[in-house]
PDB file of all heavy atoms in Angstrom:
ATOM      1  N   THR A   1      16.361   3.907  -7.717  1.00 98.00           N
ATOM      2  CA  THR A   1      15.538   3.610  -6.524  1.00 98.00           C
ATOM      3  C   THR A   1      16.407   2.838  -5.505  1.00 98.00           C
ATOM      4  O   THR A   1      17.210   1.974  -5.893  1.00 98.00           O
ATOM      5  CB  THR A   1      14.285   2.786  -6.889  1.00 98.00           C
ATOM      6  OG1 THR A   1      13.642   2.423  -5.662  1.00 98.00           O
ATOM      7  CG2 THR A   1      14.656   1.519  -7.677  1.00 98.00           C
ATOM      8  N   PRO A   2      16.251   3.097  -4.213  1.00 97.00           N
ATOM      9  CA  PRO A   2      16.915   2.286  -3.178  1.00 97.00           C
ATOM     10  C   PRO A   2      16.219   0.982  -2.935  1.00 97.00           C
ATOM     11  O   PRO A   2      16.839   0.153  -2.252  1.00 97.00           O
ATOM     12  CB  PRO A   2      16.891   3.204  -1.951  1.00 97.00           C
ATOM     13  CG  PRO A   2      15.623   4.018  -2.138  1.00 97.00           C
ATOM     14  CD  PRO A   2      15.482   4.239  -3.641  1.00 97.00           C
ATOM     15  N   ASN A   3      15.060   0.814  -3.507  1.00 97.00           N
ATOM     16  CA  ASN A   3      14.277  -0.445  -3.195  1.00 97.00           C
ATOM     17  C   ASN A   3      13.631  -0.943  -4.488  1.00 97.00           C
ATOM     18  O   ASN A   3      12.450  -0.761  -4.718  1.00 97.00           O
ATOM     19  CB  ASN A   3      13.205  -0.147  -2.178  1.00 97.00           C
ATOM     20  CG  ASN A   3      12.594  -1.383  -1.611  1.00 97.00           C
ATOM     21  OD1 ASN A   3      12.673  -2.479  -2.251  1.00 97.00           O
ATOM     22  ND2 ASN A   3      11.982  -1.265  -0.450  1.00 97.00           N
ATOM     23  N   PRO A   4      14.459  -1.609  -5.340  1.00 98.00           N
ATOM     24  CA  PRO A   4      13.921  -2.160  -6.603  1.00 98.00           C
ATOM     25  C   PRO A   4      12.790  -3.156  -6.400  1.00 98.00           C
ATOM     26  O   PRO A   4      11.904  -3.256  -7.243  1.00 98.00           O
ATOM     27  CB  PRO A   4      15.089  -2.696  -7.356  1.00 98.00           C
ATOM     28  CG  PRO A   4      16.128  -2.901  -6.266  1.00 98.00           C
ATOM     29  CD  PRO A   4      15.913  -1.841  -5.286  1.00 98.00           C
ATOM     30  N   LEU A   5      12.886  -3.926  -5.336  1.00 98.00           N
ATOM     31  CA  LEU A   5      11.780  -4.930  -5.045  1.00 98.00           C
ATOM     32  C   LEU A   5      10.454  -4.274  -4.880  1.00 98.00           C
ATOM     33  O   LEU A   5       9.428  -4.774  -5.338  1.00 98.00           O
ATOM     34  CB  LEU A   5      12.154  -5.740  -3.860  1.00 98.00           C
ATOM     35  CG  LEU A   5      13.245  -6.809  -4.081  1.00 98.00           C
ATOM     36  CD1 LEU A   5      13.600  -7.492  -2.809  1.00 98.00           C
ATOM     37  CD2 LEU A   5      12.783  -7.851  -5.158  1.00 98.00           C
ATOM     38  N   ARG A   6      10.430  -3.087  -4.267  1.00 98.00           N
ATOM     39  CA  ARG A   6       9.191  -2.358  -4.046  1.00 98.00           C
ATOM     40  C   ARG A   6       8.582  -1.921  -5.393  1.00 98.00           C
ATOM     41  O   ARG A   6       7.415  -2.029  -5.616  1.00 98.00           O
ATOM     42  CB  ARG A   6       9.320  -1.180  -3.163  1.00 98.00           C
ATOM     43  CG  ARG A   6       8.097  -0.416  -2.877  1.00 98.00           C
ATOM     44  CD  ARG A   6       8.305   0.707  -1.841  1.00 98.00           C
ATOM     45  NE  ARG A   6       9.260   1.717  -2.365  1.00 98.00           N
ATOM     46  CZ  ARG A   6       9.687   2.782  -1.717  1.00 98.00           C
ATOM     47  NH1 ARG A   6       9.323   2.911  -0.403  1.00 98.00           N
ATOM     48  NH2 ARG A   6      10.518   3.589  -2.266  1.00 98.00           N
ATOM     49  N   VAL A   7       9.449  -1.477  -6.246  1.00 98.00           N
ATOM     50  CA  VAL A   7       8.965  -1.070  -7.604  1.00 98.00           C
ATOM     51  C   VAL A   7       8.465  -2.283  -8.386  1.00 98.00           C
ATOM     52  O   VAL A   7       7.402  -2.203  -9.002  1.00 98.00           O
ATOM     53  CB  VAL A   7      10.139  -0.364  -8.381  1.00 98.00           C
ATOM     54  CG1 VAL A   7       9.611   0.128  -9.725  1.00 98.00           C
ATOM     55  CG2 VAL A   7      10.679   0.783  -7.595  1.00 98.00           C
ATOM     56  N   ILE A   8       9.161  -3.354  -8.320  1.00 98.00           N
ATOM     57  CA  ILE A   8       8.731  -4.574  -8.979  1.00 98.00           C
ATOM     58  C   ILE A   8       7.357  -5.009  -8.491  1.00 98.00           C
ATOM     59  O   ILE A   8       6.416  -5.366  -9.271  1.00 98.00           O
ATOM     60  CB  ILE A   8       9.763  -5.701  -8.838  1.00 98.00           C
ATOM     61  CG1 ILE A   8      11.088  -5.363  -9.567  1.00 98.00           C
ATOM     62  CG2 ILE A   8       9.197  -7.043  -9.363  1.00 98.00           C
ATOM     63  CD1 ILE A   8      12.214  -6.301  -9.237  1.00 98.00           C
ATOM     64  N   ASP A   9       7.196  -4.970  -7.208  1.00 98.00           N
ATOM     65  CA  ASP A   9       5.943  -5.330  -6.573  1.00 98.00           C
ATOM     66  C   ASP A   9       4.777  -4.421  -7.042  1.00 98.00           C
ATOM     67  O   ASP A   9       3.640  -4.958  -7.308  1.00 98.00           O
ATOM     68  CB  ASP A   9       6.042  -5.280  -5.015  1.00 98.00           C
ATOM     69  CG  ASP A   9       4.838  -5.838  -4.355  1.00 98.00           C
ATOM     70  OD1 ASP A   9       4.428  -6.959  -4.569  1.00 98.00           O
ATOM     71  OD2 ASP A   9       4.187  -5.067  -3.519  1.00 98.00           O
ATOM     72  N   THR A  10       5.075  -3.158  -7.162  1.00 98.00           N
ATOM     73  CA  THR A  10       4.033  -2.210  -7.665  1.00 98.00           C
ATOM     74  C   THR A  10       3.642  -2.558  -9.065  1.00 98.00           C
ATOM     75  O   THR A  10       2.463  -2.506  -9.419  1.00 98.00           O
ATOM     76  CB  THR A  10       4.561  -0.752  -7.590  1.00 98.00           C
ATOM     77  OG1 THR A  10       4.877  -0.462  -6.267  1.00 98.00           O
ATOM     78  CG2 THR A  10       3.575   0.167  -8.078  1.00 98.00           C
ATOM     79  N   ILE A  11       4.629  -2.885  -9.919  1.00 98.00           N
ATOM     80  CA  ILE A  11       4.360  -3.234 -11.300  1.00 98.00           C
ATOM     81  C   ILE A  11       3.598  -4.516 -11.395  1.00 98.00           C
ATOM     82  O   ILE A  11       2.651  -4.630 -12.190  1.00 98.00           O
ATOM     83  CB  ILE A  11       5.689  -3.365 -12.092  1.00 98.00           C
ATOM     84  CG1 ILE A  11       6.457  -1.971 -12.126  1.00 98.00           C
ATOM     85  CG2 ILE A  11       5.448  -3.850 -13.538  1.00 98.00           C
ATOM     86  CD1 ILE A  11       7.896  -2.078 -12.657  1.00 98.00           C
ATOM     87  N   ARG A  12       3.941  -5.524 -10.583  1.00 98.00           N
ATOM     88  CA  ARG A  12       3.324  -6.770 -10.565  1.00 98.00           C
ATOM     89  C   ARG A  12       1.836  -6.602 -10.149  1.00 98.00           C
ATOM     90  O   ARG A  12       0.864  -7.242 -10.679  1.00 98.00           O
ATOM     91  CB  ARG A  12       4.000  -7.788  -9.643  1.00 98.00           C
ATOM     92  CG  ARG A  12       5.298  -8.241 -10.163  1.00 98.00           C
ATOM     93  CD  ARG A  12       5.098  -9.282 -11.192  1.00 98.00           C
ATOM     94  NE  ARG A  12       6.326  -9.877 -11.600  1.00 98.00           N
ATOM     95  CZ  ARG A  12       6.721  -9.990 -12.838  1.00 98.00           C
ATOM     96  NH1 ARG A  12       5.944  -9.560 -13.820  1.00 98.00           N
ATOM     97  NH2 ARG A  12       7.868 -10.568 -13.201  1.00 98.00           N
ATOM     98  N   LYS A  13       1.532  -5.806  -9.124  1.00 98.00           N
ATOM     99  CA  LYS A  13       0.255  -5.569  -8.673  1.00 98.00           C
ATOM    100  C   LYS A  13      -0.642  -4.921  -9.736  1.00 98.00           C
ATOM    101  O   LYS A  13      -1.862  -5.055  -9.733  1.00 98.00           O
ATOM    102  CB  LYS A  13       0.211  -4.748  -7.411  1.00 98.00           C
ATOM    103  CG  LYS A  13       0.692  -5.504  -6.160  1.00 98.00           C
ATOM    104  CD  LYS A  13       0.655  -4.674  -4.927  1.00 98.00           C
ATOM    105  CE  LYS A  13       1.126  -5.474  -3.692  1.00 98.00           C
ATOM    106  NZ  LYS A  13       1.161  -4.602  -2.469  1.00 98.00           N
ATOM    107  N   ALA A  14      -0.001  -4.197 -10.620  1.00 98.00           N
ATOM    108  CA  ALA A  14      -0.694  -3.605 -11.751  1.00 98.00           C
ATOM    109  C   ALA A  14      -0.850  -4.589 -12.868  1.00 98.00           C
ATOM    110  O   ALA A  14      -1.435  -4.197 -13.950  1.00 98.00           O
ATOM    111  CB  ALA A  14       0.102  -2.345 -12.234  1.00 98.00           C
ATOM    112  N   ARG A  15      -0.366  -5.744 -12.739  1.00 98.00           N
ATOM    113  CA  ARG A  15      -0.499  -6.842 -13.714  1.00 98.00           C
ATOM    114  C   ARG A  15       0.228  -6.476 -15.035  1.00 98.00           C
ATOM    115  O   ARG A  15      -0.336  -6.723 -16.127  1.00 98.00           O
ATOM    116  CB  ARG A  15      -1.941  -7.251 -13.964  1.00 98.00           C
ATOM    117  CG  ARG A  15      -2.644  -7.791 -12.698  1.00 98.00           C
ATOM    118  CD  ARG A  15      -4.026  -8.287 -12.975  1.00 98.00           C
ATOM    119  NE  ARG A  15      -4.651  -8.857 -11.748  1.00 98.00           N
ATOM    120  CZ  ARG A  15      -5.867  -9.355 -11.690  1.00 98.00           C
ATOM    121  NH1 ARG A  15      -6.623  -9.384 -12.822  1.00 98.00           N
ATOM    122  NH2 ARG A  15      -6.300  -9.872 -10.623  1.00 98.00           N
ATOM    123  N   LEU A  16       1.385  -5.891 -14.841  1.00 98.00           N
ATOM    124  CA  LEU A  16       2.187  -5.578 -16.002  1.00 98.00           C
ATOM    125  C   LEU A  16       3.513  -6.321 -15.896  1.00 98.00           C
ATOM    126  O   LEU A  16       3.934  -6.782 -14.868  1.00 98.00           O
ATOM    127  CB  LEU A  16       2.488  -4.002 -16.005  1.00 98.00           C
ATOM    128  CG  LEU A  16       1.287  -3.093 -16.113  1.00 98.00           C
ATOM    129  CD1 LEU A  16       1.746  -1.669 -15.970  1.00 98.00           C
ATOM    130  CD2 LEU A  16       0.588  -3.342 -17.464  1.00 98.00           C
ATOM    131  N   GLU A  17       4.202  -6.439 -17.079  1.00 98.00           N
ATOM    132  CA  GLU A  17       5.566  -7.001 -17.040  1.00 98.00           C
ATOM    133  C   GLU A  17       6.506  -5.990 -16.464  1.00 98.00           C
ATOM    134  O   GLU A  17       6.430  -4.773 -16.577  1.00 98.00           O
ATOM    135  CB  GLU A  17       6.033  -7.373 -18.467  1.00 98.00           C
ATOM    136  CG  GLU A  17       5.237  -8.497 -19.065  1.00 98.00           C
ATOM    137  CD  GLU A  17       5.794  -8.968 -20.389  1.00 98.00           C
ATOM    138  OE1 GLU A  17       6.905  -8.414 -20.756  1.00 98.00           O
ATOM    139  OE2 GLU A  17       5.169  -9.765 -21.116  1.00 98.00           O
ATOM    140  N   ALA A  18       7.516  -6.541 -15.736  1.00 98.00           N
ATOM    141  CA  ALA A  18       8.511  -5.646 -15.100  1.00 98.00           C
ATOM    142  C   ALA A  18       9.898  -5.852 -15.748  1.00 98.00           C
ATOM    143  O   ALA A  18      10.327  -6.952 -15.934  1.00 98.00           O
ATOM    144  CB  ALA A  18       8.649  -5.993 -13.573  1.00 98.00           C
ATOM    145  N   GLY A  19      10.521  -4.732 -16.045  1.00 98.00           N
ATOM    146  CA  GLY A  19      11.884  -4.761 -16.559  1.00 98.00           C
ATOM    147  C   GLY A  19      12.799  -3.784 -15.790  1.00 98.00           C
ATOM    148  O   GLY A  19      12.307  -2.774 -15.247  1.00 98.00           O
ATOM    149  N   ILE A  20      14.074  -4.155 -15.670  1.00 98.00           N
ATOM    150  CA  ILE A  20      15.062  -3.286 -15.035  1.00 98.00           C
ATOM    151  C   ILE A  20      16.113  -2.822 -16.029  1.00 98.00           C
ATOM    152  O   ILE A  20      16.631  -3.712 -16.807  1.00 98.00           O
ATOM    153  CB  ILE A  20      15.708  -3.986 -13.807  1.00 98.00           C
ATOM    154  CG1 ILE A  20      14.720  -4.188 -12.683  1.00 98.00           C
ATOM    155  CG2 ILE A  20      16.865  -3.147 -13.321  1.00 98.00           C
ATOM    156  CD1 ILE A  20      15.319  -4.713 -11.384  1.00 98.00           C
ATOM    157  N   ALA A  21      16.400  -1.544 -16.045  1.00 98.00           N
ATOM    158  CA  ALA A  21      17.473  -1.000 -16.931  1.00 98.00           C
ATOM    159  C   ALA A  21      18.690  -0.753 -16.120  1.00 98.00           C
ATOM    160  O   ALA A  21      18.597  -0.366 -14.937  1.00 98.00           O
ATOM    161  CB  ALA A  21      16.956   0.299 -17.528  1.00 98.00           C
ATOM    162  N   LEU A  22      19.822  -1.014 -16.752  1.00 98.00           N
ATOM    163  CA  LEU A  22      21.093  -0.813 -16.111  1.00 98.00           C
ATOM    164  C   LEU A  22      21.939   0.212 -16.936  1.00 98.00           C
ATOM    165  O   LEU A  22      22.082   0.088 -18.141  1.00 98.00           O
ATOM    166  CB  LEU A  22      21.943  -2.086 -16.043  1.00 98.00           C
ATOM    167  CG  LEU A  22      21.387  -3.251 -15.134  1.00 98.00           C
ATOM    168  CD1 LEU A  22      22.338  -4.399 -15.197  1.00 98.00           C
ATOM    169  CD2 LEU A  22      21.169  -2.745 -13.724  1.00 98.00           C
ATOM    170  N   ASN A  23      22.540   1.192 -16.270  1.00 97.00           N
ATOM    171  CA  ASN A  23      23.432   2.099 -16.879  1.00 97.00           C
ATOM    172  C   ASN A  23      24.696   1.323 -17.223  1.00 97.00           C
ATOM    173  O   ASN A  23      25.029   0.283 -16.658  1.00 97.00           O
ATOM    174  CB  ASN A  23      23.694   3.280 -16.008  1.00 97.00           C
ATOM    175  CG  ASN A  23      22.514   4.195 -15.988  1.00 97.00           C
ATOM    176  OD1 ASN A  23      21.572   4.147 -16.781  1.00 97.00           O
ATOM    177  ND2 ASN A  23      22.575   5.169 -15.036  1.00 97.00           N
ATOM    178  N   ILE A  24      25.518   1.915 -18.091  1.00 97.00           N
ATOM    179  CA  ILE A  24      26.713   1.321 -18.560  1.00 97.00           C
ATOM    180  C   ILE A  24      27.574   0.826 -17.438  1.00 97.00           C
ATOM    181  O   ILE A  24      28.214  -0.232 -17.511  1.00 97.00           O
ATOM    182  CB  ILE A  24      27.530   2.279 -19.541  1.00 97.00           C
ATOM    183  CG1 ILE A  24      26.651   2.428 -20.819  1.00 97.00           C
ATOM    184  CG2 ILE A  24      28.893   1.734 -19.916  1.00 97.00           C
ATOM    185  CD1 ILE A  24      27.205   3.516 -21.728  1.00 97.00           C
ATOM    186  N   GLU A  25      27.839   1.664 -16.448  1.00 97.00           N
ATOM    187  CA  GLU A  25      28.752   1.417 -15.376  1.00 97.00           C
ATOM    188  C   GLU A  25      28.191   0.425 -14.302  1.00 97.00           C
ATOM    189  O   GLU A  25      29.056  -0.101 -13.454  1.00 97.00           O
ATOM    190  CB  GLU A  25      29.159   2.736 -14.646  1.00 97.00           C
ATOM    191  CG  GLU A  25      28.062   3.370 -13.864  1.00 97.00           C
ATOM    192  CD  GLU A  25      27.098   4.244 -14.692  1.00 97.00           C
ATOM    193  OE1 GLU A  25      27.239   4.233 -15.893  1.00 97.00           O
ATOM    194  OE2 GLU A  25      26.259   4.947 -14.100  1.00 97.00           O
ATOM    195  N   THR A  26      26.987   0.068 -14.378  1.00 98.00           N
ATOM    196  CA  THR A  26      26.439  -0.811 -13.366  1.00 98.00           C
ATOM    197  C   THR A  26      26.717  -2.286 -13.634  1.00 98.00           C
ATOM    198  O   THR A  26      26.447  -2.760 -14.750  1.00 98.00           O
ATOM    199  CB  THR A  26      24.924  -0.590 -13.208  1.00 98.00           C
ATOM    200  OG1 THR A  26      24.649   0.790 -12.894  1.00 98.00           O
ATOM    201  CG2 THR A  26      24.327  -1.482 -12.053  1.00 98.00           C
ATOM    202  N   ASN A  27      27.194  -2.979 -12.639  1.00 97.00           N
ATOM    203  CA  ASN A  27      27.480  -4.446 -12.791  1.00 97.00           C
ATOM    204  C   ASN A  27      26.184  -5.231 -12.670  1.00 97.00           C
ATOM    205  O   ASN A  27      25.454  -5.115 -11.674  1.00 97.00           O
ATOM    206  CB  ASN A  27      28.406  -4.827 -11.679  1.00 97.00           C
ATOM    207  CG  ASN A  27      28.935  -6.257 -11.845  1.00 97.00           C
ATOM    208  OD1 ASN A  27      28.303  -7.117 -12.463  1.00 97.00           O
ATOM    209  ND2 ASN A  27      30.126  -6.523 -11.265  1.00 97.00           N
ATOM    210  N   PRO A  28      25.864  -6.032 -13.707  1.00 97.00           N
ATOM    211  CA  PRO A  28      24.594  -6.785 -13.658  1.00 97.00           C
ATOM    212  C   PRO A  28      24.548  -7.805 -12.569  1.00 97.00           C
ATOM    213  O   PRO A  28      23.479  -8.327 -12.210  1.00 97.00           O
ATOM    214  CB  PRO A  28      24.512  -7.445 -15.051  1.00 97.00           C
ATOM    215  CG  PRO A  28      25.910  -7.357 -15.553  1.00 97.00           C
ATOM    216  CD  PRO A  28      26.573  -6.160 -14.964  1.00 97.00           C
ATOM    217  N   ASP A  29      25.677  -8.160 -11.940  1.00 97.00           N
ATOM    218  CA  ASP A  29      25.691  -9.099 -10.847  1.00 97.00           C
ATOM    219  C   ASP A  29      24.905  -8.546  -9.668  1.00 97.00           C
ATOM    220  O   ASP A  29      24.479  -9.315  -8.791  1.00 97.00           O
ATOM    221  CB  ASP A  29      27.138  -9.355 -10.352  1.00 97.00           C
ATOM    222  CG  ASP A  29      27.937 -10.232 -11.363  1.00 97.00           C
ATOM    223  OD1 ASP A  29      27.265 -10.777 -12.271  1.00 97.00           O
ATOM    224  OD2 ASP A  29      29.157 -10.276 -11.237  1.00 97.00           O
ATOM    225  N   LYS A  30      24.705  -7.226  -9.608  1.00 96.00           N
ATOM    226  CA  LYS A  30      23.874  -6.628  -8.542  1.00 96.00           C
ATOM    227  C   LYS A  30      22.395  -7.066  -8.575  1.00 96.00           C
ATOM    228  O   LYS A  30      21.691  -6.913  -7.614  1.00 96.00           O
ATOM    229  CB  LYS A  30      23.971  -5.091  -8.612  1.00 96.00           C
ATOM    230  CG  LYS A  30      25.357  -4.564  -8.251  1.00 96.00           C
ATOM    231  CD  LYS A  30      25.390  -3.019  -8.215  1.00 96.00           C
ATOM    232  CE  LYS A  30      26.743  -2.499  -7.825  1.00 96.00           C
ATOM    233  NZ  LYS A  30      26.777  -1.000  -7.699  1.00 96.00           N
TER     234      LYS A  30
END
């Protein structure tokens, strides 16, 4: 997604826990 904050907001509004997955090559500093 180009907008992870929008996805997190959607999950939060559903009153669920939000998690983000990173592929091997992605730097977690992002």
Side-chain angles (χ1 to χ4, degrees):
T1 175
N3 193 340
L5 284 174
R6 181 176 63 184
V7 183
I8 293 169
D9 186 57
T10 302
I11 297 170
R12 288 284 185 231
K13 286 181 178 177
R15 297 185 178 181
L16 300 174
E17 292 187 7
I20 291 186
L22 296 181
N23 288 345
I24 290 170
E25 68 276 7
T26 302
N27 189 331
D29 289 346
K30 292 185 176 182

